[in-house]
Amino acid sequence: MGERLKIFAFVAFLGFILGIVADVTATYVLPALIELLPSLGTATRFIISGLAGACLTLIVVSIWAYATSSER
C-alpha cells in the first residue's frame, strides 16, 4: 500500500502545480494573447485553452507512464 500512497501523493502534487500553472495562464497569458490576436475574435480563448489542455494532458500522461513503467 505504500507504493500506491506515494503515487497518489505524487499525482496530487502534480495536480496542484498544474492548477497553479492554469491559473497563471488564465490570469496573465490568455488576456495578453487575446490582445495580440484580435483578428480571431472570441475563438482565440477557446483555441488557446484547447492547446493548453492538450499540452497539460500530454505532460501528465507522459509523467504517469514514466513513473509507472516496469524496469526489466
Side-chain angles (χ1 to χ4, degrees), residues 18-67:
L18 291 176
I20 292 170
V21 169
D23 181 59
V24 169
T25 301
T27 304
Y28 301 108
V29 177
L30 193 58
L33 287 175
I34 289 173
E35 283 185 26
L36 291 173
L37 303 171
S39 61
L40 294 177
T42 58
T44 304
R45 181 177 177 143
F46 297 116
I47 292 170
I48 294 170
S49 296
L51 290 173
C55 291
L56 290 175
T57 303
L58 183 60
I59 290 168
V60 169
V61 170
S62 298
I63 291 172
W64 173 75
Y66 178 74

